[in-house]
Amino acid sequence: ETSVTLYGRVDGGIGYQQFKGTNPTTGESFKGSNTGMANGIMGGNRWGLKGAEDLGEGLQAVFVLENGFNLSDGTQSDGMFGRQATVGLKSSSWGQLDFGRQTTVASKYLSGVASPFGADWGQASVGSAFSAINSVRYNNMIMYQTPKFSGFQLGLNYSFTGNAGSQGFKTSGGDEPNDKAWGAAVRYANGPLAVGLSYDEYKTSEVRVDGIGGDRDTAIKSWNLAGSYDFDVVEVHAAIGQTRNGWFKHVSAIDYRDIGGTDDMTGRQSWGAINDAKVNSYTLGLSAPVGANGKILASWVMADPKDGFGADRQDKQHFYSLGYTYKLSKRTNVYALGSYGTGVHFYDDLKATQFAVGLRHQF
Amino acid sequence: ETSVTLYGRVDGGIGYQQFKGTNPTTGESFKGSNTGMANGIMGGNRWGLKGAEDLGEGLQAVFVLENGFNLSDGTQSDGMFGRQATVGLKSSSWGQLDFGRQTTVASKYLSGVASPFGADWGQASVGSAFSAINSVRYNNMIMYQTPKFSGFQLGLNYSFTGNAGSQGFKTSGGDEPNDKAWGAAVRYANGPLAVGLSYDEYKTSEVRVDGIGGDRDTAIKSWNLAGSYDFDVVEVHAAIGQTRNGWFKHVSAIDYRDIGGTDDMTGRQSWGAINDAKVNSYTLGLSAPVGANGKILASWVMADPKDGFGADRQDKQHFYSLGYTYKLSKRTNVYALGSYGTGVHFYDDLKATQFAVGLRHQF
Amino acid sequence: ETSVTLYGRVDGGIGYQQFKGTNPTTGESFKGSNTGMANGIMGGNRWGLKGAEDLGEGLQAVFVLENGFNLSDGTQSDGMFGRQATVGLKSSSWGQLDFGRQTTVASKYLSGVASPFGADWGQASVGSAFSAINSVRYNNMIMYQTPKFSGFQLGLNYSFTGNAGSQGFKTSGGDEPNDKAWGAAVRYANGPLAVGLSYDEYKTSEVRVDGIGGDRDTAIKSWNLAGSYDFDVVEVHAAIGQTRNGWFKHVSAIDYRDIGGTDDMTGRQSWGAINDAKVNSYTLGLSAPVGANGKILASWVMADPKDGFGADRQDKQHFYSLGYTYKLSKRTNVYALGSYGTGVHFYDDLKATQFAVGLRHQF
């Protein structure tokens, strides 16, 4: 029995990104583009340590320590083990209890069911329109997951600080200094069918807002429902969801701050708590095998802002994406992605285009 | 022969901390509390690489690279290999010589002898009252340790910069820009008996103070004596020590800056070089097996300020702590901690309470 | 087949550095010295993960993730995998294609041929006088290397951002926001003979300068030619090169900012893009085995500024260095270094001295 497994994923290639639109303040049109190295398109670059020790009677001690990094410049993306840092107990009879930072159960259970692209593949990500299943990670979190009963599994997570790392002290009579977040998700898998349902809340602190911008003392809420069915020749994916009072995680599309550093453009990226905001999210997708080693992926994801955004941000955001992977081995594949979006970040005429080809290797 | 071993420790759970007292400036009483994830209570979370290569004739090349991280948010706590980064030679005849960052010989030899909690277990740590054996680490350090002769071992360490990472250049006629630190410790272990004695000095630089606050050009000094005896049904621990002209490492109790961010409270944490300060330290502790896999730990640690602190900081600081561990396997255990302190940081009525339960897994 | 190899190098010891000269502004002479821990003298401290997976028909998927750190204080020196972060394909018929951050082909092919010290060994490094082969690393890079044909190998690298990590968007009609860098090198090895030839360009951006200081929109250029011949009793090394319009990587000698923090001294270190600058570089070196496990290394490296530096920076810079290594095993050795430099950074009377002894262990 080995006590630790070293694993990881390296993913790099060449990419092109373009955006164009009109500055809502100045009325001037703008356009920017970029050709360069693509980094972690099929999934964030990572390496990690993990292990499971049998303690007898179906009980295991488990841990995962996972670092995320940029292949393009070698920097880490989010803390030493910013992707996951957990220790837990796993029982064949009562399930699994984990302590530490990791992705929410909503993200774990739903993103891969909702879209063939999951929460990866650049702007093709289901996270471009669905916030609470977009690889959301919390610190200071306790997670409980049941065993799988007849294909069902239930998961619950509670975080004492949400995105913030350190826990403030609440003084008697004082305001709550910490963000709080909790979520629940259930999934069902039976042969070709997979279904997931989730609910999440993120309560921003009363005195300050850590990690997630916007209003204080706000409960951001999101429910999401996803399903997929594998017809062998094609697997179909669909999901619907709603996010209120803000957004759980930023749309992982282009960072418009690069447009030219204008304050207005910077603001486009800043989502977080927004009282009374409401966004409905929809996606349809499919994947189909092509020969023994190939696979085509396609999806449409849409986010429809109902309330809470300014007068110039009323547009529906659509992303249309097409991907292809080809396995060179069980651990290595090449891939290609093309994606086009309109109404990006709900700006009427903001359009985003992304192309990438790359190589992914897992160890 | 494998050339490198990958190892680590993950430790997380749930904890509660409370403090209450009176602001010495305003006279107002305050109270703060916090329930959240406990992180590394039984010992800092870590992973590392280590190895030992036989060079013949009883000589080995040895190295340790050890990273410390927070399980709660995945961030690293103190540089890439902030816990240890050393290379050295180890001889069965003349001992071991190491180059690099690591804990002092005083910390290595005495903390586990002085207290059943060692320098871990939150505020139950012997480091709450003893500064120079509180897992003190220095950079740019050379350490020499003799082999064990009839149960005796002597260790010496010298650091060119103390807590500071980079070495400044001393100009001719100019002031010394670097902190300097050295220490010596001897330990004796024979069957149930263990004894350790140490002396440390930390000389702050003449022009600036890196890493450790307070007066410049000051020699902080500490001697410590610790002993333990294992009577089988119970192991008894005791230690006494004195620290002058400052403090080697901050008391690892609650960070009072969270009380409300007042400057005065912030100041409570800032120990370092303090000319003419003198603190006597005492501890008594015991541990006792409970069944085949359980163990109870208890301790009292006290720090008594003789000189150098302000008029409102004259109180003796006491911590009373009780712990329990239960082995699920050789590598995995669960634990519980309760601790109560008075006169914390020598403030007359500052009280600190800590509870935690957790799971620790080693790989 | 193992999917990942964990490897590294730890290198530490004791060193002495001294510099002395005259402040060109004030006319005052100064002298500074430093005795302390030597860190990575024979080569930067590192650990890494690497692997190669056979894909059939002579094709392999390859990756390298390499972290650099300081043994003296345990901090990382340049991002998580700041030494290398690449994924690629390697074919026995068409060569190797890598994506990610790594050293340039000029540095890979020439530095070890040009000098017995390569680009390591403190100020004895060939990089003290040759800029483009001084372990230069770029982000967002694509590298192609041919297989070796009759001892010949050609390598090409192109970076979308040079030293900068993130890629800016170029707007229509706007300036190019990214540095760009490319290089080509060819090497030939046949028995005792090794030859390398390289050409590099670094184009600073039109709007700002990332990572490399100095003028914008400047093409820094360097060609270098190196050769070595092993006569068994002695191996001889020589190289010649020229760098124009700036410098590729700072001279890795003493950091003169420590002299006393004067602005003028700080400025001595700041090389980068300098329009119309021209420096010719020369080196001669040799290494000779001494007994079964020992080796002596010696070199002279010189940089001759032709244009572009101020009136007080007209001197030729010379470094004279002597080194010795002794193998304790295949993976472990001890070493010693002595080096003396004049006209450092082209200042007429700036002299730099370095001594070090150390231990290096590889795993």
Side-chain angles (χ1 to χ4, degrees):
Chain A
E1 185 196 24
T2 177
S3 66
V4 55
T5 299
L6 187 55
Y7 68 95
R9 195 186 283 189
V10 280
D11 178 343
I14 302 285
Y16 171 80
Q17 286 185 293
Q18 190 211 69
F19 58 85
K20 53 183 177 182
T22 306
N23 186 311
T25 306
T26 65
E28 287 176 22
S29 65
F30 57 81
K31 180 179 166 182
S33 66
N34 183 320
T35 302
M37 219 192 107
N39 168 45
I41 289 289
M42 272 191 69
N45 282 293
R46 71 197 71 170
W47 71 276
L49 307 171
K50 64 182 175 186
E53 182 198 14
D54 283 327
L55 301 172
E57 300 181 28
L59 192 66
Q60 287 185 313
V62 292
F63 75 94
V64 177
L65 303 173
E66 192 170 292
N67 170 271
F69 62 91
N70 302 309
L71 195 73
S72 49
D73 61 5
T75 58
Q76 73 190 11
S77 31
D78 199 11
M80 184 67 211
F81 296 121
R83 292 183 60 91
Q84 185 161 351
T86 54
V87 64
L89 289 172
K90 182 177 184 177
S91 160
S92 53
S93 56
W94 57 257
Q96 182 168 349
L97 183 67
D98 282 319
F99 300 92
R101 174 178 172 86
Q102 63 172 312
T103 49
T104 60
V105 288
S107 294
K108 282 181 206 297
Y109 291 5
L110 268 74
S111 64
V113 174
S115 168
F117 294 107
D120 295 308
W121 288 86
Q123 68 181 37
S125 166
V126 70
S128 286
F130 289 72
S131 73
I133 64 174
N134 184 22
S135 297
V136 173
R137 292 183 176 90
Y138 295 137
N139 298 317
N140 294 297
M141 186 157 66
I142 299 169
M143 180 178 292
Y144 169 68
Q145 298 179 79
T146 68
K148 290 177 185 163
F149 296 117
S150 315
F152 276 100
Q153 186 174 27
L154 170 70
L156 302 167
N157 56 251
Y158 180 80
S159 162
F160 294 98
T161 62
N163 287 330
S166 60
Q167 298 168 229
F169 282 83
K170 185 178 187 312
T171 53
S172 41
D175 289 329
E176 173 59 50
N178 299 306
D179 292 357
K180 302 288 178 190
W182 72 273
V186 61
R187 65 177 162 188
Y188 173 74
N190 190 346
L193 177 68
V195 179
L197 175 66
S198 68
Y199 181 76
D200 282 275
E201 278 199 24
Y202 191 104
K203 185 86 181 315
T204 61
S205 82
E206 293 174 319
V207 294
R208 61 191 155 87
V209 181
D210 274 310
I212 189 158
D215 293 328
R216 69 184 207 175
D217 195 17
T218 298
I220 315 172
K221 302 172 184 184
S222 181
W223 62 262
N224 294 281
L225 174 65
S228 67
Y229 197 93
D230 189 349
F231 295 97
D232 282 342
V233 293
V234 62
E235 185 171 6
V236 178
H237 300 258
I240 182 171
Q242 189 178 74
T243 305
R244 304 181 74 139
N245 300 328
W247 202 248
F248 277 77
K249 195 177 172 185
H250 293 187
V251 168
S252 59
I254 290 173
D255 185 340
Y256 299 95
R257 285 170 289 193
D258 281 316
I259 291 177
T262 67
D263 284 345
D264 183 71
M265 291 299 116
T266 306
R268 295 194 176 201
Q269 185 73 350
S270 299
W271 289 14
I274 310 168
N275 271 314
D276 305 321
K278 187 166 89 176
V279 178
N280 292 335
S281 303
Y282 310 89
T283 185
L284 282 174
L286 60 86
S287 69
V290 181
N293 298 311
K295 194 172 164 185
I296 278 187
L297 308 88
S299 84
W300 159 77
V301 292
M302 195 264 267
D304 183 2
K306 290 302 185 191
D307 292 297
F309 298 90
D312 56 350
R313 298 179 65 187
Q314 300 282 335
D315 210 24
K316 291 181 178 67
Q317 173 191 266
H318 296 267
F319 280 102
Y320 309 91
S321 305
L322 194 64
Y324 176 72
T325 69
Y326 183 85
K327 281 187 192 174
L328 301 176
S329 78
K330 209 172 165 183
R331 298 197 281 121
T332 304
N333 65 281
V334 289
Y335 62 83
L337 167 69
S339 176
Y340 178 71
T342 63
V344 176
H345 290 191
F346 311 147
Y347 283 94
D348 288 6
D349 69 344
L350 185 52
K351 294 173 183 63
T353 307
Q354 183 176 24
F355 295 105
V357 293
L359 169 71
R360 184 184 67 159
H361 174 72
Q362 300 178 83
F363 60 90
Chain B
E1 185 197 25
T2 176
S3 66
V4 56
T5 299
L6 187 55
Y7 69 96
R9 195 186 283 190
V10 280
D11 178 343
I14 302 286
Y16 171 79
Q17 285 185 292
Q18 190 210 69
F19 58 86
K20 54 182 178 183
T22 305
N23 187 311
T25 306
T26 65
E28 288 176 21
S29 66
F30 57 81
K31 181 179 165 182
S33 68
N34 183 319
T35 302
M37 219 191 106
N39 168 46
I41 289 289
M42 271 192 69
N45 282 292
R46 72 198 69 170
W47 71 277
L49 308 171
K50 64 183 175 185
E53 182 198 14
D54 283 329
L55 301 173
E57 301 183 27
L59 192 65
Q60 286 185 313
V62 292
F63 75 93
V64 177
L65 303 173
E66 191 170 292
N67 170 271
F69 62 91
N70 301 309
L71 195 72
S72 49
D73 61 5
T75 58
Q76 71 190 12
S77 30
D78 200 11
M80 183 68 209
F81 295 122
R83 291 184 58 91
Q84 186 161 351
T86 55
V87 64
L89 289 172
K90 183 177 184 176
S91 160
S92 53
S93 57
W94 56 257
Q96 183 168 346
L97 183 66
D98 282 319
F99 300 93
R101 175 179 171 86
Q102 64 173 312
T103 49
T104 60
V105 288
S107 294
K108 283 181 206 295
Y109 291 4
L110 268 73
S111 63
V113 174
S115 167
F117 295 107
D120 296 308
W121 289 87
Q123 69 180 39
S125 166
V126 71
S128 286
F130 289 73
S131 73
I133 63 173
N134 185 22
S135 297
V136 173
R137 292 182 176 90
Y138 295 136
N139 297 317
N140 294 297
M141 186 157 66
I142 299 170
M143 181 178 292
Y144 169 69
Q145 298 178 80
T146 68
K148 289 178 185 163
F149 295 117
S150 315
F152 277 99
Q153 186 174 25
L154 171 70
L156 303 166
N157 54 250
Y158 180 81
S159 163
F160 294 98
T161 62
N163 288 328
S166 61
Q167 298 168 228
F169 281 84
K170 186 178 186 314
T171 53
S172 41
D175 290 328
E176 172 61 49
N178 299 306
D179 292 357
K180 302 287 180 190
W182 71 274
V186 61
R187 66 177 162 189
Y188 173 74
N190 189 347
L193 177 67
V195 179
L197 175 66
S198 67
Y199 181 76
D200 282 276
E201 278 199 23
Y202 191 105
K203 186 84 181 313
T204 61
S205 83
E206 293 174 319
V207 294
R208 61 191 153 88
V209 181
D210 273 310
I212 190 157
D215 293 328
R216 68 185 208 176
D217 195 16
T218 298
I220 315 173
K221 301 171 184 184
S222 181
W223 62 261
N224 294 280
L225 173 65
S228 67
Y229 197 94
D230 189 349
F231 295 97
D232 282 343
V233 293
V234 62
E235 185 170 8
V236 178
H237 300 258
I240 183 171
Q242 189 178 75
T243 305
R244 303 181 76 139
N245 300 328
W247 202 248
F248 278 76
K249 195 177 172 185
H250 292 188
V251 168
S252 60
I254 290 173
D255 185 340
Y256 299 95
R257 284 170 290 192
D258 282 316
I259 290 177
T262 67
D263 284 346
D264 183 71
M265 292 298 116
T266 305
R268 294 194 177 200
Q269 184 73 353
S270 299
W271 289 13
I274 310 169
N275 270 314
D276 306 321
K278 187 166 89 176
V279 179
N280 291 336
S281 304
Y282 309 88
T283 184
L284 282 174
L286 59 86
S287 69
V290 180
N293 298 311
K295 193 172 165 186
I296 279 188
L297 307 88
S299 86
W300 159 77
V301 292
M302 195 263 269
D304 183 2
K306 290 304 184 190
D307 292 297
F309 298 91
D312 56 351
R313 299 179 66 187
Q314 299 283 335
D315 211 23
K316 292 181 176 67
Q317 174 191 265
H318 296 267
F319 280 102
Y320 309 91
S321 306
L322 194 63
Y324 176 72
T325 69
Y326 183 84
K327 281 187 192 172
L328 301 176
S329 78
K330 209 171 165 182
R331 297 197 282 122
T332 304
N333 65 282
V334 290
Y335 62 83
L337 167 68
S339 176
Y340 178 70
T342 63
V344 176
H345 290 190
F346 311 146
Y347 283 95
D348 287 7
D349 69 344
L350 185 53
K351 294 173 183 64
T353 307
Q354 183 175 26
F355 295 106
V357 293
L359 168 70
R360 184 183 67 159
H361 174 73
Q362 299 178 82
F363 59 91
Chain C
E1 185 196 24
T2 177
S3 66
V4 55
T5 299
L6 187 56
Y7 69 95
R9 195 186 284 190
V10 280
D11 178 341
I14 302 285
Y16 171 80
Q17 285 185 292
Q18 190 209 70
F19 58 86
K20 54 182 177 182
T22 306
N23 186 311
T25 305
T26 65
E28 289 176 21
S29 65
F30 57 81
K31 179 178 166 182
S33 67
N34 183 319
T35 301
M37 218 191 106
N39 169 45
I41 289 289
M42 272 191 68
N45 282 293
R46 71 198 71 170
W47 70 276
L49 307 171
K50 64 183 174 184
E53 182 197 15
D54 283 328
L55 302 173
E57 301 181 27
L59 192 65
Q60 286 185 313
V62 292
F63 75 94
V64 176
L65 302 173
E66 191 170 291
N67 170 271
F69 63 91
N70 300 310
L71 195 72
S72 49
D73 61 4
T75 58
Q76 73 190 11
S77 30
D78 200 10
M80 183 67 209
F81 296 122
R83 291 183 60 91
Q84 185 161 350
T86 54
V87 64
L89 289 172
K90 183 177 182 177
S91 160
S92 53
S93 56
W94 56 258
Q96 182 168 349
L97 183 67
D98 282 319
F99 300 93
R101 174 178 172 86
Q102 64 174 311
T103 48
T104 60
V105 288
S107 294
K108 283 181 207 295
Y109 291 4
L110 268 72
S111 63
V113 173
S115 168
F117 295 108
D120 296 306
W121 288 87
Q123 70 180 37
S125 166
V126 71
S128 286
F130 289 72
S131 73
I133 63 173
N134 185 21
S135 298
V136 173
R137 293 183 175 91
Y138 295 136
N139 298 317
N140 294 297
M141 185 157 67
I142 300 170
M143 181 178 291
Y144 169 69
Q145 298 178 80
T146 67
K148 289 178 184 161
F149 295 118
S150 316
F152 277 99
Q153 186 173 26
L154 171 70
L156 303 167
N157 55 250
Y158 180 81
S159 162
F160 294 99
T161 62
N163 287 329
S166 61
Q167 297 168 230
F169 282 84
K170 186 178 186 314
T171 53
S172 41
D175 290 328
E176 172 59 49
N178 299 306
D179 291 357
K180 302 286 180 192
W182 72 274
V186 61
R187 65 176 163 189
Y188 173 74
N190 190 347
L193 176 68
V195 180
L197 175 66
S198 67
Y199 182 76
D200 282 276
E201 278 200 22
Y202 191 104
K203 185 84 180 318
T204 61
S205 82
E206 293 174 319
V207 295
R208 60 190 155 88
V209 180
D210 272 310
I212 189 158
D215 293 329
R216 68 184 209 177
D217 195 17
T218 297
I220 314 172
K221 302 172 184 184
S222 181
W223 62 262
N224 294 280
L225 173 66
S228 67
Y229 197 93
D230 190 350
F231 295 97
D232 283 341
V233 294
V234 62
E235 185 170 8
V236 178
H237 301 257
I240 183 170
Q242 189 178 74
T243 305
R244 305 182 73 141
N245 300 328
W247 202 249
F248 277 76
K249 195 178 173 186
H250 293 189
V251 168
S252 60
I254 290 174
D255 185 340
Y256 299 94
R257 285 169 288 193
D258 282 315
I259 290 177
T262 67
D263 284 346
D264 182 72
M265 291 300 116
T266 306
R268 295 194 175 201
Q269 184 73 351
S270 300
W271 290 13
I274 310 168
N275 270 315
D276 305 321
K278 187 166 90 175
V279 179
N280 291 336
S281 305
Y282 309 88
T283 185
L284 282 174
L286 60 85
S287 69
V290 179
N293 297 310
K295 194 172 165 186
I296 279 189
L297 307 89
S299 84
W300 159 77
V301 292
M302 196 263 269
D304 183 3
K306 290 302 185 190
D307 292 296
F309 299 90
D312 54 352
R313 298 180 65 186
Q314 300 283 336
D315 211 24
K316 292 182 176 68
Q317 173 191 265
H318 297 267
F319 280 102
Y320 309 90
S321 306
L322 194 64
Y324 176 71
T325 69
Y326 183 84
K327 280 187 193 174
L328 301 177
S329 78
K330 209 170 165 182
R331 297 197 282 121
T332 304
N333 66 282
V334 289
Y335 62 82
L337 167 69
S339 177
Y340 178 70
T342 63
V344 176
H345 291 190
F346 311 147
Y347 282 94
D348 286 7
D349 69 344
L350 185 52
K351 294 172 183 65
T353 307
Q354 183 175 26
F355 296 105
V357 293
L359 169 69
R360 185 183 67 158
H361 174 73
Q362 300 178 83
F363 59 90

